Amino acid sequence: MPPVTTTAVLFDLDDTLFDHWGCTRVALGALQASHAAFGAWPFEAFESAHRQLLEALHLEVLAGRLTVDDARLLRFRRLLEQAGVDASEALARAAASEYRERYVEAWRPVSGALELLRALHGRVALGVVTNNVAGEQRMKIDACGFGPLLDAVVISEEAGVAKPDPRIFELALATLGRAPEAAVMVGDAWGTDIAGARAASIRPVWFNRFGAVSPDPSVQEITSLAPVDAASALILGAERVDAVAKPSESRSRNPQSPIPNPQSR
């Protein structure tokens, strides 16, 4: 296969550039230390229950049926109920507030993300395509120092369309002035990032950070954004190197993976 000439790279934000998984674990650990009901749960079970509620209620936020704050309050009321607590609004609000504070305090890039953007900046056009409310995503981008390195930021709330709809990818490419065949989409979520990129005729690269089994081994994947030279080589279409996973390799799922099914988010 001849090398691909890549002039634009699109990235997902959460758990591709921004370490949502790591920040969430920090915040949940703090809650377990301060709330006896949460502390009685094994951490992995607590994290799993939280993730399931977060994902379900996030869809309600994207659909405009709940605000971010209302969804967070409802999430922690339901978590307290699952923990066997008859949760008052005040108790749920206190837990939600503490979680939010600890989560924001922990905001950080995925390891290697900032360095990778710096290495690619000026060589290709760079964009972020993300599903969420605009204010939250822009704060994450600013907190991590990504802003000056990005040529386009396309957020579902502002775009009026969400991944995997190909229109959100087309909007990003139109902003960058690039064609689909010259673009790459890097993302961790198979159902939104990979399927969406394919629907938009963009070459996908799956960021398989937690070693899940690939639904389609023909899709190139990468397990780390570092070292930068290795990540850049694969993303830009060069031959694979040691830090890059070969699609034919099989992996056992990491038990701490936040993606029990790589086709869901």
Side-chain angles (χ1 to χ4, degrees):
M1 180 177 177
V4 176
T5 301
T6 302
T7 64
V9 180
L10 305 176
F11 289 93
D12 170 54
L13 184 60
D14 291 313
D15 284 322
T16 299
L17 295 177
F18 171 77
D19 190 8
H20 168 72
W21 176 76
C23 300
T24 296
R25 288 173 67 86
V26 169
L28 293 177
L31 278 180
Q32 281 203 310
S34 60
H35 291 262
F38 293 148
W41 251 337
F43 182 80
E44 300 303 330
F46 180 42
E47 181 189 30
S48 177
H50 174 265
R51 181 176 63 250
Q52 291 173 27
L53 285 169
L54 175 63
E55 291 176 353
L57 293 172
H58 184 59
L59 294 177
E60 299 297 301
V61 172
L62 291 179
R65 292 187 286 267
L66 286 175
T67 68
V68 172
D69 289 340
D70 286 344
R72 187 181 306 116
L73 179 61
L74 182 56
R75 181 165 88 240
F76 283 96
R77 171 168 277 181
R78 289 181 178 175
L79 274 174
L80 285 163
E81 290 170 351
Q82 289 183 31
V85 175
D86 185 10
S88 65
E89 180 173 344
L91 182 59
R93 193 172 298 279
S97 178
E98 182 178 355
Y99 170 86
R100 177 64 180 175
E101 289 176 10
R102 299 295 176 263
Y103 176 70
V104 173
E105 287 173 358
W107 277 5
R108 64 199 183 206
V110 168
S111 178
L114 192 57
E115 294 79 5
L116 178 60
L117 290 180
R118 287 171 177 158
L120 293 172
H121 182 63
R123 299 172 64 188
V124 293
L126 295 175
V128 159
V129 181
T130 178
N131 288 352
N132 208 336
V133 295
E136 178 82 353
Q137 300 307 77
R138 292 191 184 279
M139 285 192 294
K140 292 173 184 174
I141 287 169
D142 289 345
C144 293
F146 300 148
L149 303 171
L150 298 172
D151 301 298
V153 175
V154 179
I155 304 171
S156 61
E157 183 185 47
E158 295 173 337
V161 64
K163 298 179 293 184
D165 193 308
R167 290 176 293 173
I168 195 169
F169 299 94
E170 291 163 0
L171 177 58
L173 292 181
T175 303
L176 295 174
R178 299 295 192 272
E181 60 269 19
V184 177
M185 173 66 194
V186 183
D188 71 299
W190 194 277
T192 51
D193 300 322
I194 305 308
R198 285 172 141 180
S201 300
I202 297 170
R203 178 169 66 93
V205 172
W206 183 33
F207 182 32
N208 187 9
R209 183 181 174 196
F210 299 99
V213 176
S214 175
D216 182 353
S218 71
V219 173
Q220 289 180 304
E221 62 180 82
I222 188 169
T223 58
S224 175
L225 301 183
V228 167
D229 289 347
S232 299
L234 182 134
I235 290 168
L236 297 180
E239 292 294 322
R240 298 166 190 263
V241 290
D242 291 345
V244 177
K246 297 179 181 178
S248 60
E249 291 178 350
S250 61
R251 295 181 184 81
S252 59
R253 184 173 299 132
N254 184 325
Q256 292 187 347
S257 171
I259 312 172
N261 178 350
Q263 295 187 345
S264 66
R265 175 81 180 191

